[in-house]
Each structure stands twice: as structure tokens, then as C-alpha cells.
């Protein structure tokens, strides 16, 4: 009797369904998008630089300061962390590339100064870090630097900068 009474009491209660009986969310199948070949690195770099020249810049005081920093060194890397202790994988990658090329370079930690971080985004018209400057010009971020390294363009650019 007790078993029948408890079964009757439970009949009206909502019991959780086993996982296999629960409705499953709709699954989306991967949609194959047509892939296009990326533009050659040299063309991409020119496009990046052209876009950077077309946008507005940082406030005058910040621009002058950044102009001085960038022109004071042949190779400057604005990054998250320092060259001895990078704080992100992208910054670490660029540091390793520059070290493998045995190039002297300076780094500035954008995490240490919010005004510097925002000012650089406006200065370069590039929203992410790291940002590599060679011979006073914005070269690119991690992806562009890595592609240029693989193609040999980075080595050529650095050689020209070191000789000038």
C-alpha cells in the first residue's frame, strides 16, 4: 500500500527526463564558404599602410611623443608585456621572430599605460597589439610580421633599415 501511495503522489510531480529523452537543440552543419586566396603580403602591407594614412590620428601631444619614440629607434615593438616577459602569444611570436633575426629592437609595454595604448591605436590606425615599427614606419601586427618573415620580406626590410 505504501508503495502505491508514493507512486500516486509522484505521478503528478515533474520528474527530470533522462538525457536521451530531452529535446536536443538544433545543430548547424558547417557551411562551406568559398575560399579566396589572400593577397600577396607586399600588396597587403601597402593596403594596410594606405588605410592607416587615410584615418584620423591621435591628439597632437601624443602624436609628437610617439613620433619621437618611433624615430629614435630603428625597430620598435609596442607589445603587451616586455621582450623578456611577453603577456600575450602574439607579442611573444613577434619577439621570437625579431630575436631569431638577431635584430636589436626596443619594446614598450602598452599594458602599463592606457593613454599610450589608445594613442597608439589612433596613431597607427591599427586596433590590436603588438605593433611593429621599422625605420619610423608602421610595419604591422603579428600576422603581417609572421607572413613577411616567412616570405623573406621582413628580413629585406630590416636589412634596409639597418643600413640607412
Amino acid at each position: 500500500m505504501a508503495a502505491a501511495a508514493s507512486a500516486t503522489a509522484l505521478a503528478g510531480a515533474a520528474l527530470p527526463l533522462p538525457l536521451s529523452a530531452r529535446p536536443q537543440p538544433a545543430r548547424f552543419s558547417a557551411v562551406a564558404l568559398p575560399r579566396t586566396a589572400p593577397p600577396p603580403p607586399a600588396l597587403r602591407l601597402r593596403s594596410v599602410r594606405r588605410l592607416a594614412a587615410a584615418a584620423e590620428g591621435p591628439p597632437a601631444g601624443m602624436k609628437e611623443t610617439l613620433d619621437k619614440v618611433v624615430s629614435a629607434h630603428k625597430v620598435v615593438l609596442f607589445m603587451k608585456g616586455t621582450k623578456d616577459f611577453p603577456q600575450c602569444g602574439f607579442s611573444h611570436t613577434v619577439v621570437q621572430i625579431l630575436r631569431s633575426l638577431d635584430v636589436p629592437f626596443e619594446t614598450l609595454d602598452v599594458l602599463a599605460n592606457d593613454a599610450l595604448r589608445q594613442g597608439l591605436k589612433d596613431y597607427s590606425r591599427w586596433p590590436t597589439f603588438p605593433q611593429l615599427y621599422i625605420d619610423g614606419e608602421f610595419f604591422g601586427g603579428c600576422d603581417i610580421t609572421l607572413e613577411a618573415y616567412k616570405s623573406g620580406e621582413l628580413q629585406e626590410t630590416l636589412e634596409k633599415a639597418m643600413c640607412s
Side-chain angles (χ1 to χ4, degrees), residues 7-92:
T8 305
L10 288 176
L15 296 176
L17 294 173
L19 289 177
S20 60
R22 293 181 187 174
Q24 297 296 313
R27 297 187 186 260
F28 296 97
S29 62
V31 176
L33 298 174
R35 296 189 64 104
T36 57
L43 178 61
R44 186 175 309 126
L45 291 175
R46 283 192 297 267
S47 299
V48 166
R49 291 183 183 130
R50 194 169 44 245
L51 285 173
E56 290 182 28
M62 178 63 76
K63 182 184 181 318
E64 291 168 359
T65 301
L66 291 172
D67 281 341
K68 288 178 186 175
V69 170
V70 167
S71 63
H73 308 282
K74 292 287 184 179
V75 181
V76 181
L77 180 63
F78 294 95
M79 60 179 284
K80 293 179 179 178
T82 64
K83 68 171 95 174
D84 294 323
F85 192 61
Q87 295 293 306
C88 84
F90 300 113
S91 294
H92 181 265

Side-chain angles (χ1 to χ4, degrees), residues 102-163:
D102 199 28
V103 173
F105 64 101
E106 296 298 320
T107 62
L108 282 110
D109 183 2
V110 298
L111 296 176
N113 186 321
D114 288 334
L116 172 66
R117 185 168 51 244
Q118 187 55 49
L120 269 167
K121 289 179 183 181
D122 295 337
Y123 184 76
S124 65
R125 284 88 169 174
W126 195 257
T128 60
F129 295 97
Q131 293 183 9
L132 179 62
Y133 287 79
I134 300 173
D135 209 14
E137 288 190 36
F138 176 65
F139 186 80
C142 180
D143 292 342
I144 289 173
T145 302
L146 184 58
E147 286 180 22
Y149 173 70
K150 289 178 181 177
S151 72
E153 181 183 358
L154 178 62
Q155 294 87 323
E156 290 175 17
T157 303
L158 288 168
E159 286 174 12
K160 288 178 187 173
M162 294 302 154
C163 292

